[in-house]
Amino acid sequence: MVERVICYRAPSTVAEIDGVADWLRARVDANVSVRDRFLEVHRTDNLAERFAEARVPSPYERETGNTMLGTIRYEERALEHPEREGGVLYDGVAVQRALNAALPDEERDLETLHVAILDRAIGTWGDHDGRWHKRVHVLGQPALVSVPGLYEAPAKPEAYYKEKQRHALVSGDAPPREVLENQVEGDFLVADDPRTTDALKGYALQAYHYLETGEPFCDRECCRLFNAHYHEDLIDAQLREPAFCSEHAPVYSGSDR
Ligand SMILES: [Zn+2]
């Protein structure tokens, strides 16, 4: 049984973690609290090296890691100044192992769930297609929730990719993101989207649900516990009514509604 949930802030992003925690607190039977950045609160000496080891150098190669001194220095700077890092994909499972090892012993039990909201892009390797896939979250201890993953991991509407391709044929380069966003029908989240905090709530709840019940997701698309692979589905699941399917509504509808 999960007795306490600790959510960690991601101050270099627009995500307001106190809002996520308030929402969670009204729905789960556990003590919910908020701390500052996980990578600040639980900084260990070898964390930069562990991040360097978890780097994904190519989307089509299973091998990760670059522990050359320059890369470790980069990772040290990224830990100190998170607002300056970006564009690197990390093996989510390796990062999760590293962050689990960074937890103090007395907080590593399964009655305590840590939800590390991160400003890093994380992925998992797809054995079926031989490439890395960006992820919004990796469930477990700690649960990792990636804010960039929220924007980048789910597939965007087909028209988005078509427009991108069309632009490349005409002008030989990629169109600015804003152009794509204004010209493509269909709904998707963009970087720093004002709906970020709201969308993260369901992912934090999935982390709780998994530890509490052992079930990873709900397969009904309307439900906050649905693991969406497309932006349109993500928006359906996280931002449109109803919040939960008929099975999970009685469990998680909460006290503030
Ligand atoms: Zn459900």
Side-chain angles (χ1 to χ4, degrees):
M1 291 287 282
V2 178
E3 285 167 11
R4 54 180 182 151
V5 181
I6 302 166
C7 302
Y8 293 84
R9 294 195 179 96
S12 65
T13 74
V14 299
E16 286 166 17
I17 305 312
D18 294 82
V20 173
D22 288 344
W23 185 87
L24 211 54
R25 196 173 291 123
R27 282 166 181 76
V28 303
D29 188 18
N31 179 290
V32 181
S33 59
V34 178
R35 288 182 184 165
D36 284 332
R37 276 175 83 216
F38 188 102
L39 303 178
E40 193 79 46
V41 176
H42 300 300
R43 178 82 55 86
T44 51
D45 287 343
N46 66 354
L47 211 49
E49 198 171 341
R50 301 294 298 270
F51 268 99
E53 285 165 2
R55 277 172 163 244
V56 173
S58 150
Y60 301 103
E61 279 172 44
R62 178 70 186 87
E63 255 349 89
T64 61
N66 174 348
T67 48
M68 280 157 56
L69 196 58
T71 310
I72 295 174
R73 291 270 178 274
Y74 172 95
E75 295 297 344
E76 281 168 357
R77 285 194 301 273
L79 287 171
E80 286 303 324
H81 306 285
E83 66 288 349
R84 278 192 230 157
E85 60 86 33
V88 179
L89 179 66
Y90 299 89
D91 175 348
V93 176
V95 169
Q96 185 178 54
R97 267 200 304 268
L99 300 194
N100 182 281
L103 287 172
D105 284 340
E106 67 276 15
E107 291 190 356
R108 209 179 290 136
D109 57 276
L110 293 179
E111 286 82 49
T112 308
L113 167 64
H114 300 265
V115 183
I117 291 105
L118 299 175
D119 53 11
R120 312 290 185 108
I122 52 175
T124 55
W125 176 256
D127 271 325
H128 60 291
D129 59 0
R131 55 180 285 251
W132 288 90
H133 297 266
K134 283 186 185 171
R135 296 290 178 205
V136 184
H137 61 353
V138 176
L139 301 177
Q141 179 75 303
L144 310 183
V145 181
S146 163
V147 179
L150 193 63
Y151 314 132
E152 297 164 18
K156 297 200 169 63
E158 207 177 323
Y160 176 92
Y161 300 103
K162 282 201 177 132
E163 181 59 29
K164 207 168 162 178
Q165 200 174 27
R166 194 191 65 82
H167 198 278
L169 285 173
V170 173
S171 69
D173 58 10
R177 208 188 56 205
E178 309 79 65
V179 172
L180 285 175
E181 281 150 10
N182 292 331
Q183 287 180 358
V184 176
E185 287 283 322
D187 210 355
F188 48 93
L189 297 180
V190 298
D192 301 334
D193 200 287
R195 298 168 290 181
T196 299
T197 299
D198 214 14
L200 287 175
K201 292 170 180 171
Y203 288 94
L205 183 65
Q206 288 181 19
Y208 170 87
H209 183 72
Y210 179 61
L211 218 60
E212 184 73 6
T213 67
E215 294 163 20
F217 307 113
C218 175
D219 55 15
R220 276 149 296 207
E221 292 172 14
C222 66
C223 186
R224 285 267 197 181
L225 299 177
F226 182 71
N227 184 29
H229 291 98
Y230 297 89
H231 268 272
E232 303 245 4
D233 291 343
L234 185 159
I235 285 164
D236 247 353
Q238 301 302 343
L239 302 171
R240 294 200 182 113
E241 293 294 324
F244 294 100
C245 69
S246 55
E247 183 192 336
H248 293 118
V251 189
Y252 291 127
S253 280
S255 56
D256 66 356
R257 36 188 303 135

